[in-house]
Amino acid sequence: MNLHSPDVAVTDANQALTYLKEGNKRFTSDSTMPRNTNKADLGITKDGQKPFAAILTCADSRVSPEIYFDQKIGDIFVVRNAGNCACKEALGSIEFATKHLGAPLVVVVGHSMCGAVFTSHSKATGLSDNLQAVLDDIRKNIGSCPTKEEAVAVHVKSQVEILKNNPVIKEVNATVLGAEYNIATGEVVFL
């Protein structure tokens, strides 16, 4: 089993991607790693962190990258919000993960049945001002996608472009990818 040790910095985005893909394969085949190293991992990470990837994903309770990528404490730096939006707060967090913590890989992970994207696609109104602002941001990215499912992928790709064009992420030469998590199967497909 090819696992990241939380005290080892990973500088190669391809190695980081391999950790994620192998972890998702373990998750979908019900062969996740043993969880008997939590105490040791807490000791290793108490003074610092060396995540190998930064993940921007949705706040949906069914979408937990530490679980579906089968990773441990200290492995991935996760930023979550409704609709996996690269807003100012998310961008600042990912800048921190890449520039200050050295994560060589950034992945925007959308998911099937995303309520934020689906609601934006249906052009719902009458919501709270804060929620409406999130949905309006998503709506401008998905344009007139014919289906809700296509809108999820289009939104992920738009957030990937925002991250790829971020000056800090460009400066550190982090690799930025998109992916979609299937909430029914647990599989992550990289776009």
Side-chain angles (χ1 to χ4, degrees):
M1 198 177 312
N2 186 13
L3 302 176
H4 172 250
S5 179
D7 59 340
V8 175
V10 174
T11 59
D12 179 16
N14 290 324
Q15 178 62 54
L17 183 59
T18 297
Y19 285 141
L20 295 179
K21 286 181 175 181
E22 288 178 357
N24 185 243
K25 186 175 180 179
R26 288 190 304 272
F27 175 72
T28 58
S29 65
D30 271 340
S31 57
T32 55
M33 71 176 98
R35 297 289 172 189
N36 60 357
T37 62
N38 292 336
K39 194 167 196 154
D41 293 340
L42 289 171
I44 291 169
T45 60
K46 71 179 174 25
D47 295 324
Q49 57 180 314
K50 295 178 183 177
F52 63 79
I55 310 291
L56 172 59
T57 195
C58 189
D60 189 303
S61 64
R62 301 166 292 179
V63 181
S64 299
E66 297 90 342
I67 295 172
Y68 63 71
F69 281 131
D70 191 31
Q71 298 303 316
K72 302 182 298 175
I73 293 168
D75 288 340
I76 55 178
F77 187 96
V78 180
V79 179
R80 296 177 71 171
N81 60 43
N84 43 273
C85 297
C87 61
K88 185 188 291 189
E89 294 81 6
L91 286 171
S93 297
I94 294 167
E95 288 171 358
F96 178 73
T98 56
K99 184 166 185 167
H100 300 283
L101 299 177
L105 177 65
V106 178
V107 184
V108 178
V109 184
H111 66 94
S112 61
M113 303 298 293
C114 181
V117 174
F118 281 21
T119 303
S120 294
H121 186 269
S122 67
K123 298 178 175 47
T125 57
L127 305 167
S128 71
D129 291 346
N130 292 325
L131 180 54
Q132 192 65 56
V134 171
L135 299 181
D136 289 345
D137 278 348
I138 295 170
R139 190 173 294 135
K140 73 180 178 194
N141 295 319
I142 63 174
S144 58
C145 283
T147 68
K148 295 176 194 178
E149 292 77 15
E150 287 178 68
V152 170
V154 167
H155 180 60
V156 166
K157 290 174 183 174
S158 70
Q159 301 314 288
V160 166
E161 287 307 309
I162 290 169
L163 290 163
K164 281 184 175 179
N165 290 308
N166 176 280
V168 174
I169 295 169
K170 284 170 86 168
E171 173 192 332
V172 298
N173 202 30
T175 299
V176 182
L177 302 173
E180 189 172 335
Y181 172 72
N182 184 310
I183 63 169
T185 66
E187 182 181 11
V188 175
V189 175
F190 288 85
L191 306 174

